[in-house]
Amino acid sequence: MSWQAYVDDHLLCDIEGNHLSAAAIIGQDGSVWAQSSNFPQFKQEEINGIMNDFAEPGSLAPTGLYLGGTKYMVIQGEPGAVIRGKKSDFNGTWRCYC
């Protein structure tokens, strides 16, 4: 199975009525392995910030997580493994990116 198929078939699947609206897999070298078609286009400085947070957990917390130029507040994740962020939609609901 390719990483793109994993994103499309497993990360974006419906689980008990919930699903991610977009997903991406980034290699430890910062290369994008796979991403959903509606995932924001990464900027190199955003990838660098994500990679730095994996090396130094918590480094994104003061400035926020940026994806496609949009800022997300960093919320609890798994240091060195998962970074989670959220932002408010216009209707006041919250979206979470992992």
Side-chain angles (χ1 to χ4, degrees):
M1 174 184 301
S2 72
W3 287 117
Q4 189 61 53
Y6 184 79
V7 167
D8 296 337
D9 300 336
H10 297 283
L11 295 182
L12 297 178
C13 69
D14 186 65
I15 300 174
E16 298 178 5
N18 298 302
H19 67 277
L20 295 175
S21 59
I25 298 175
I26 304 171
Q28 290 183 340
D29 63 355
S31 62
V32 178
W33 291 5
Q35 67 183 49
S36 59
S37 60
N38 60 340
F39 198 88
Q41 291 300 308
F42 286 107
K43 297 176 184 173
Q44 189 58 49
E45 60 269 17
E46 295 169 343
I47 292 174
N48 293 345
I50 292 167
M51 300 314 299
N52 187 55
D53 196 79
F54 281 117
E56 300 175 31
S59 63
L60 284 177
T63 59
L65 167 66
Y66 285 84
L67 297 172
T70 300
K71 182 179 180 179
Y72 296 83
M73 180 175 47
V74 177
I75 59 174
Q76 183 179 6
E78 298 170 29
V82 175
I83 302 168
R84 291 186 177 96
K86 68 179 180 179
K87 79 176 189 79
S88 177
D89 287 331
F90 294 118
N91 65 7
T93 61
W94 293 94
R95 293 188 292 180
C96 180
Y97 289 83
C98 303

